[in-house]
C-alpha cells in the first residue's frame, strides 16, 4: 500500500527531487505515515527521510538547500507493515556499503531468517523493517552487477514486492521488480519514471508499461528492458492512459472526497455511455462480447471484492437474482481464496476492484481461475493487475478516485453491474418491455443523482451537527437498501471515526437492539420501495427505546417523515436508481459529520487507498 516513485533522466524544467516529491504527493493516498527520498550520482547517495506527510519531507529537503546535480532518484511514502512510523523505518533503505538504496512496497515473509543470515555475515541493522533486510541482501550479493545482485536477492525472497533499486556505482540505471505489488513505468524521450500507480506518472506521459509478477526491468532515460528472473527478454504491452493530470487535482473542492461525490453523475454517465440500447432493452458490454455461450451456461455467480467493492457486489446480488434468476453469492475475497471454494466451469466469478490491485481480490481471481471458473473483472484502473489477471471484463471509466473513501467507484460499479444484470436477464426470462424499463432506469441514474446533490447538499450540512458527538450509530436497510446501509456505515466510520454498523433492519431484534439508549442515532433507509412498511415498524421499535431517527425517505413521503427526527429526501425514482441516490445522500452525511469533526477526510488514519498487502 505504499507509494513508490523512481526517476532517471536529463534535467529539464524540474529537478529529479521536485519530480519525485510531486510524484509522492500524487501517491500519498496510498500510505502516508512517513516518506523519504534518495538522490544519487556517481559520487554519492543523498537520503532525506521524515515521519508524517510528504509535505514534511519536502520542507526538510528544501531546508537542506542541496544544490548537487543529481539525475537519478527514488522516493517512497509509507503505510507501515513492519515497524512503527519512524524516520529510521522510513524508506529508502540502504545496504551496508551505502552504495545501494531501495524503495519497496510489499511484505518479505522470510525476512527474519534472511536477517539472521545477514547478521551472522556481519551486517548491522538500523530499522525494524523487512525492507531494510531486502536492501542489505541486495548489497550482500552485489559484486559489480546490480541486475544480478537484485536477481540473486529476489531468488531468496518469499513474499511480495514492488521494488526500485539504485546504486551509485551504476548511476545510469534503475532496476525495478514486481511480485504482487504494482509497478508501472512511463517513458518520455529523455527520461523514465517508475511508480506504484499511474497517478504519479500521468503528468509526464500517457504511455505506460505495467510489470507482471516476476518481471525485472532495467530502466535508463527514455528506455526500459524487461526480463524474467532468468534474464530472458519479455515484452509487455504499452498502455495508453485515458486520464489527464487535471483529473487528479481537487479543482477547487476542499477535499477529493467532495469532488468525487459531485463527480458521480458525470462518472456514472461515463460508465454507462454506449452500454445500453433502449430499442432492444438490453446492455452492450464490449468487454463481454463473444462470450454469450459461456454466459448462457452459467449456473451460479460468485462476486468477489473487499470493503466498498464487496458492498457493490451485494447490490448486484439482488439485481441479478431478480432480473436474471441466477443464484448469486457475494464473498469477501480473502475468505474465498482461503476456504477452498466450491467453484468450477459453470460458475461466473466477478471480481470487483476500483484499484485493480487489492491483494486478496487478485489472489481470489487466481484461485477462481485455478478451478476453471469463467472470470471477469470490474475495475477502474486500466491495465491494473486484477484487470489483466481476469483477462476480460468491464472498465468503470469513473476517472481517478483519489480519496481513500470510495464514492464514485461504488456508484459506477453498481451502475455497470446493473447493466450486467440486464444483459444476463435479457438472455434468459426478461421480456423486451421489462428490459426497456430497466434500461430506462439505468439511463435515469445520473440525472436523479444530480437532483439529489442539487436539492439536499445544503440541507445535509444543516443536520450533520446533531450527529458529530455520537459514539455509535446504526444504519438500517432492507432488500436492495441493506448493502447501502452497510456502505453508509463504512463511510461514516472510515472518515469520522464514529463507530457505525449497518444491519438488515430485521436483524436488530436478534441482539443489537440491546445497544440502544436514549438518543442513539439510527439512520433508517425508509425509501418508498419494497420493504418500507416493515422498516416503519422497525423504526417504531427503535423510537420506543429512545433512539434518534435520521430517515432517508422518498421526497414528499409525509408518513415516513412523521416518525423521524431528521429526514433527507431522495427524489422519487425507480428502485435501481434509488439505491444510488440514497448512497450519495449517506456519502454527503458522512462527509459533513467528518468535516465538522475536523477529520483528515481524504487520508483517514490507518487506511490506504489500495490494500496491496494481505
Ligand atoms: C472504501 O471506502 C475503502 N476505501 C475500501 O473498503 C475499499 O473499497 C476496499 O479496500 C477495496 O478496494 P478496491 O475496490 O480498490 O479493491
Amino acid at each position: 500500500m505504499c507509494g513508490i516513485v523512481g526517476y532517471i533522466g536529463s534535467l529539464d524544467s524540474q529537478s529529479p527531487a521536485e519530480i519525485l516529491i510531486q510524484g509522492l504527493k500524487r501517491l500519498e493516498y496510498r500510505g502516508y505515515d512517513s516518506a523519504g527520498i534518495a538522490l544519487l550520482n556517481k559520487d554519492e547517495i543523498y537520503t532525506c527521510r521524515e515521519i508524517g506527510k510528504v509535505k514534511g519531507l519536502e520542507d526538510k529537503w528544501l531546508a537542506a538547500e542541496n544544490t548537487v546535480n543529481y539525475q537519478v532518484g527514488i522516493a517512497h511514502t509509507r503505510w507501515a507493515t513492519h515497524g512503527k512510523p519512524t524516520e529510521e523505518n522510513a524508506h529508502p533503505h540502504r545496504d551496508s556499503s551505502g552504495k545501494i538504496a531501495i524503495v519497496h512496497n510489499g511484505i518479505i515473509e522470510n525476512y527474519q531468517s534472511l536477517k539472521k543470515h545477514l547478521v551472522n555475515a556481519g551486517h548491522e541493522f538500523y530499522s525494524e523493517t523487512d525492507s531494510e533486510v531486502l536492501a542489505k541482501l541486495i548489497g550482500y550479493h552485489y559484486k559489480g552487477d546490480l541486475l544480478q545482485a537484485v536477481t540473486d536477492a529476489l531468488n531468496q525472497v518469499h513474499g511480495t514486492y514492488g521494488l526500485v533499486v539504485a546504486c551509485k556505482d551504476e548511476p545510469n540505471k534503475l532496476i525495478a521488480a514486481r511480485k504482487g505489488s504494482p509497478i508501472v513505468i512511463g517513458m518520455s524521450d529523455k527520461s523514465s519514471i517508475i511508480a506504484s500507480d499511474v497517478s504519479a506518472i500521468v503528468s509526464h506521459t500517457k504511455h505506460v508499461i505495467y510489470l507482471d509478477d516476476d518481471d525485472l526491468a532495467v530502466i535508463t532515460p527514455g528506455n526500459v528492458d524487461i526480463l524474467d528472473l532468468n534474464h530472458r527478454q519479455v515484452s509487455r504491452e504499452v498502455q495508453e492512459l485515458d486520464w489527464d493530470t487535471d483529473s487528479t487535482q481537487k479543482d477547487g473542492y476542499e477535499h477529493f472526497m467532495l469532488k468525487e461525490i459531485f463527480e458521480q453523475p458525470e462518472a456514472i454517465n461515463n460508465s454507462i455511455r454506449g452500454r445500453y440500447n433502449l430499442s432492444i432493452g438490453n446492455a452492450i458490454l464490449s468487454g463481454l462480447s463473444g462470450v454469450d455461450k459461456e454466459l448462457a451456461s452459467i449456473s451460479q455467480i460468485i462476486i468477489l471484492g473487499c470493503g466498498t467493492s464487496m458492498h457493490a457486489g451485494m447490490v448486484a446480488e439482488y439485481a441479478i437474482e431478480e432480473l436474471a434468476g441466477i443464484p448469486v453469492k457475494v464473498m469477501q475475497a480473502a475468505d474465498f481464496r482461503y476456504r477452498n471454494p466450491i467453484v468450477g466451469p459453470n460458475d461466473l466469478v466477478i471480481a470487483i476492484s476500483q484499484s485493480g490491485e487489492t491483494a486478496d481480490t487478485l489472489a481470489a481471481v487466481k484461485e477462481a481461475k485455478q478451478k476453471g471458473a469463467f472470470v471477469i473483472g470490474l475495475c477502474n484502473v486500466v491495465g491494473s493487475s486484477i484487470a489483466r489477471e481476469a483477462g476480460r471484463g468491464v472498465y468503470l471509466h469513473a476517472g481517478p478516485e483519489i480519496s481513500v473513501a470510495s464514492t464514485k467507484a461504488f456508484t459506477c460499479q453498481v451502475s455497470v453491474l446493473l447493466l450486467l444484470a440486464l444483459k444476463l436477464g435479457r438472455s434468459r426470462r426478461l421480456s423486451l418491455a421489462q428490459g426497456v424499463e430497466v434500461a430506462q432506469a439505468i439511463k435515469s441514474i445520473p440525472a436523479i443523482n444530480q437532483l439529489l446533490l442539487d436539492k439536499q447538499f445544503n440541507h445535509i450540512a444543516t443536520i450533520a451537527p446533531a450527529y458529530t458527538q455520537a459514539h455509535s450509530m446504526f444504519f438500517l436497510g432492507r432488500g436492495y437498501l441493506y448493502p447501502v446501509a452497510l456502505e453508509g456505515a463504512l463511510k461514516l466510520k472510515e472518515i469520522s471515526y464514529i463507530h457505525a454498523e449497518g444491519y438488515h433492519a430485521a436483524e436488530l431484534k436478534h441482539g443489537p437492539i440491546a445497544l440502544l439508549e436514549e438518543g442513539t442515532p439510527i439512520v433508517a433507509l425508509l425509501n418508498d420501495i419494497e420493504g418500507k412498511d416493515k422498516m416503519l415498524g422497525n423504526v417504531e421499535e427503535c423510537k420506543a427505546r429512545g433512539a434518534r431517527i435520521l430517515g432517508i425517505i422518498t421526497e414528499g413521503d409525509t408518513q415516513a417523515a412523521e416518525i423521524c427526527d431528521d429526514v433527507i429526501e431522495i427524489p422519487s425514482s425507480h428502485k435501481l436508481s434509488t439505491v444510488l441516490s440514497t448512497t450519495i445522500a449517506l456519502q454527503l452525511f458522512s462527509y459533513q459529520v467528518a468535516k465538522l469533526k475536523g477529520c483528515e477526510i481524504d487520508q483517514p488514519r490507518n487506511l490506504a487507498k489500495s490494500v496491496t498487502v494481505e
Side-chain angles (χ1 to χ4, degrees), residues 168-451:
K168 84 175 176 67
D169 287 358
E170 302 180 41
N172 61 339
K173 71 178 73 149
L174 288 171
I175 305 291
R178 181 231 146 103
K179 188 186 193 80
S181 293
I183 288 283
V184 58
I185 301 167
M187 288 155 297
S188 54
D189 55 356
K190 292 186 291 181
S191 63
S192 301
I193 187 164
I194 307 103
S196 312
D197 75 46
V198 293
S199 48
I201 293 179
V202 66
S203 58
H204 297 280
T205 177
K206 292 193 188 303
H207 298 95
V208 299
I209 292 173
Y210 285 83
L211 295 189
D212 274 353
D213 280 354
D214 299 325
D215 282 356
L216 289 162
V218 181
I219 300 134
T220 53
N223 189 51
V224 60
D225 281 332
I226 301 176
L227 311 165
D228 64 18
L229 286 170
N230 296 312
H231 295 182
R232 289 185 298 248
Q233 292 278 344
V234 296
S235 69
R236 294 281 174 252
E237 186 189 350
V238 178
Q239 313 259 357
E240 181 160 5
L241 298 175
D242 60 357
W243 291 356
D244 57 36
T245 310
D246 294 344
S247 57
T248 60
Q249 303 308 305
K250 286 185 194 169
D251 296 342
Y253 285 92
E254 188 174 354
H255 297 100
F256 277 112
M257 183 177 180
L258 189 60
K259 175 191 174 196
E260 288 150 11
I261 288 173
F262 274 88
E263 280 178 340
Q264 288 179 105
E266 180 193 355
I268 293 167
N269 249 331
N270 293 337
S271 287
I272 63 176
R273 182 176 294 115
R275 291 176 162 174
Y276 60 87
N277 180 327
L278 291 178
S279 61
I280 59 172
N282 205 342
I284 304 144
L285 298 172
S286 56
L288 298 181
S289 56
V291 294
D292 287 345
K293 201 158 75 55
E294 288 84 346
L295 292 177
S297 64
I298 55 173
S299 55
Q300 176 189 231
I301 295 175
I302 294 176
I303 299 178
L304 304 174
C306 300
T308 289
S309 291
M310 182 174 68
H311 296 157
M314 292 173 73
V315 175
E317 175 186 336
Y318 287 92
I320 294 170
E321 289 196 346
E322 180 179 6
L323 299 178
I326 303 171
V328 178
K329 192 175 173 183
V330 179
M331 296 181 74
Q332 207 280 344
D335 186 41
F336 175 89
R337 69 181 286 203
Y338 286 117
R339 65 186 283 177
N340 188 17
I342 299 173
V343 63
N346 289 334
D347 295 323
L348 168 62
V349 170
I350 305 171
I352 306 174
S353 175
Q354 186 286 132
S355 63
E357 300 300 344
T358 298
D360 283 324
T361 309
L362 178 59
V365 167
K366 291 177 180 173
E367 180 62 19
K369 287 171 69 176
Q370 285 297 321
K371 297 202 186 288
F374 183 63
V375 181
I376 65 174
L378 183 58
C379 298
N380 190 34
V381 179
V382 173
S384 55
S385 302
I386 291 168
R388 288 180 291 123
E389 186 63 38
R392 70 167 63 78
V394 185
Y395 281 122
L396 291 186
H397 302 315
E401 185 177 71
I402 306 299
S403 187
V404 167
S406 190
T407 51
K408 64 177 182 175
F410 176 85
T411 48
C412 291
Q413 286 164 346
V414 172
S415 301
V416 171
L417 288 162
L418 293 179
L419 289 168
L420 177 61
L422 173 58
K423 177 181 178 64
L424 294 169
R426 288 286 281 131
S427 68
R428 287 172 169 75
R429 293 298 307 136
L430 216 55
S431 68
L432 170 61
Q434 291 167 318
V436 169
E437 181 199 336
V438 172
Q440 287 282 12
I442 295 170
K443 179 181 182 238
S444 76
I445 290 170
I448 295 292
N449 290 344
Q450 188 59 58
L451 210 51

Side-chain angles (χ1 to χ4, degrees), residues 26 34 41 44 47 84 166 169 218 225 342 354 364 379 498:
R26 294 253 167 80
S34 55
N41 53 31
E44 63 163 353
T47 304
K84 292 185 179 60
D169 287 358
V218 181
D225 281 332
I342 299 173
Q354 186 286 132
C379 298
I498 293 174

Side-chain angles (χ1 to χ4, degrees), residues 30 33 69 102 142 147 182 193 195 219 221 231 324 361 373 377 383 465 473 528 596 613:
R30 297 178 62 90
D33 57 41
N69 171 8
I102 78 165
Y142 186 67
L147 175 62
I193 187 164
I219 300 134
H231 295 182
T361 309
M473 212 178 286
D528 197 4
L596 287 166
V613 294

